Amino acid sequence: MFLFKNTAKKRTIQLLYTTACSFMLTGNLQAQSCAPVSDFYENFDAPTLTCCTMGLVPECWNSISTAVGANQIISTTSPVSGPNNIYQNGYGAGKISIVVMREVNNINAGTHQFRFKVRANSGPGNLDFGYITDTADAATFVTIQTISVSNSSYNDPIAERTFTVPNTIPSNARLAIRNPGTSWAGFYWDDAYWEPIPPPAVQSIDVTTQNNAAATITSNAGTLQTLATILPAAANQAVTWSIVPGSGAATISAGGLVTAQENGTVWAKAVSVENSSMKDSLEITISGQLVPIVSLDVQTENNVTPVIIINGGTLQTVALITPANTSNQDVIWSIINGTGTATISANGLVTAQGNGTVWAKAISVENAVVKDSLLITISGQSSAGIEDQNALSVNFYPNPVKRLLTIETALPEGKEFPVQLIDQSGRVVYSDFLRNKKSQLDLRALPGGRYRLIINQTCNQQLIIE
């Protein structure tokens, strides 16, 4: 007797032949536009996939049953996700059900894997993962791997199974799951993926230099290429580079190129993007770096008042450079005349010429952008037409002096006289003005020794400080 049974909205036709050797063949005979894909995900939750029609599978899939009792349906019993999962069962010789997945265009490329979740009731039992070359002929099924399914829950750690596919299988083959009918177990499976094979886990990382060069940088702002080797070679090779400063300083690019900044040692560190617990570092020794100038400040030596009150007198200026370890400390000195005039030596010694103000200017030799100036006031020069002061009466005591020096002068009302102390090297170490007929100078900050006391250009006497 032949019975044709139309089911699943005319998507499948079942052929039943009942004799002592009963069999059932189910095939998807409806023409479909199912172009091969490079990957897929199937959770059997499409609206057309309803429980519990025999042989019902997703669009572009096929179902084969070789005999009555070899069953495959869409089931709503405890799926992984959504309302449905697939169910295959059947026990006995020849009671085989095969679910054929949609065609893929990279089945033998070696780049993808099949992954799904599976469980069994009345297990354990065996399922075959493989491929089929003729969706109308169950005999063309080839097993790639047989798995034993003993777990009854998708939450079991062994529920998820992953399979690789040899690159030797025919390019027109299609992936398939077969219940060979060798046990009473029924098999539920869900969340099927054809997906790229993920790279293997990172096992180690080793930071070295390119071509095994010495881990040193000896030229100013020199560079050194570092490399990170990750094993296994098929693992994700991406790393994040950083510099761990030691006594030196440097920068590092995203590609591992180290650029020196300061002498000393640094560590070039690589951390695996795949697994941040995998990391390694390489110590690099840096030398020969030039420390750039940041700023300079023009001052007087010993911070004396920036004035010159002696005819043809001098004032030593200095350029304080920051940082103190700047490689090139040289400056170029010049005088910018204001209302006065002066000259300046290559070492910053200013010599007065005409009364008024001048600027002592220093420019960094290393970086001409870095510069500074100091305003100096000049008086007492012969060209200024100083009034006759020969009759100036001056008396100072004690001499030698320990702390306070008293100076008495016939200072006219409303006048002031400049006073300076010059050490034996010719430097002005004290400068001020006398504004009273009797004044006291506090000289305790000056070291003991012989000095010249000069008052208003005319009084030039020796003073001893004890």
Side-chain angles (χ1 to χ4, degrees), residues 9 27 48 50 99 106 122 160 162 233 319 346 369 391 437 445 447:
K9 298 182 181 179
T48 56
T50 58
V99 175
N106 51 3
S122 304
E160 186 169 85
T162 302
V369 173
K437 291 185 177 182

Side-chain angles (χ1 to χ4, degrees), residues 395-408 439-441 443 453 462-466:
N395 184 30
F396 62 91
Y397 56 88
N399 188 14
V401 62
K402 291 184 178 180
R403 176 182 174 185
L404 295 178
L405 178 69
T406 301
I407 300 177
E408 296 178 348
S439 302
Q440 284 191 320
L441 307 184
L443 305 180
L453 175 64
Q462 178 176 279
L463 176 69
I464 299 175
I465 299 179
E466 295 182 338

Side-chain angles (χ1 to χ4, degrees), residues 220 261-263 288-294 321-329 366:
N220 184 46
Q261 291 182 321
E262 296 179 16
N263 295 332
Q289 303 310 296
L290 300 179
V291 180
I293 185 171
V294 175
I321 291 179
T322 304
N325 63 339
T326 297
S327 301
N328 190 341
Q329 298 272 334
E366 178 189 326

Side-chain angles (χ1 to χ4, degrees), residues 29-74:
L29 303 181
Q30 184 180 4
Q32 300 177 6
S33 177
C34 294
V37 295
S38 59
D39 51 65
F40 64 75
Y41 165 67
E42 182 57 64
N43 61 5
F44 311 105
D45 295 333
T48 56
L49 299 177
T50 58
C51 185
C52 296
T53 303
M54 198 68 64
L56 184 61
V57 289
E59 294 287 342
C60 304
W61 290 45
N62 296 82
S63 179
I64 301 174
S65 295
T66 62
V68 174
N71 303 315
Q72 176 270 308
I73 62 171
I74 297 296

Side-chain angles (χ1 to χ4, degrees), residues 41-52 56 58 73-87 119 154 188-192:
Y41 165 67
E42 182 57 64
N43 61 5
F44 311 105
D45 295 333
T48 56
L49 299 177
T50 58
C51 185
C52 296
L56 184 61
I73 62 171
I74 297 296
S75 170
T76 58
T77 303
S78 303
V80 177
S81 60
N84 300 331
N85 51 186
I86 212 163
Y87 179 66
R119 63 185 179 89
Y154 286 129
Y188 295 89
W189 50 282
D190 200 358
D191 285 2

Side-chain angles (χ1 to χ4, degrees), residues 316-334:
Q316 183 64 58
T317 57
V318 294
L320 300 182
I321 291 179
T322 304
N325 63 339
T326 297
S327 301
N328 190 341
Q329 298 272 334
D330 294 339
V331 298
I332 297 174
W333 288 100
S334 63

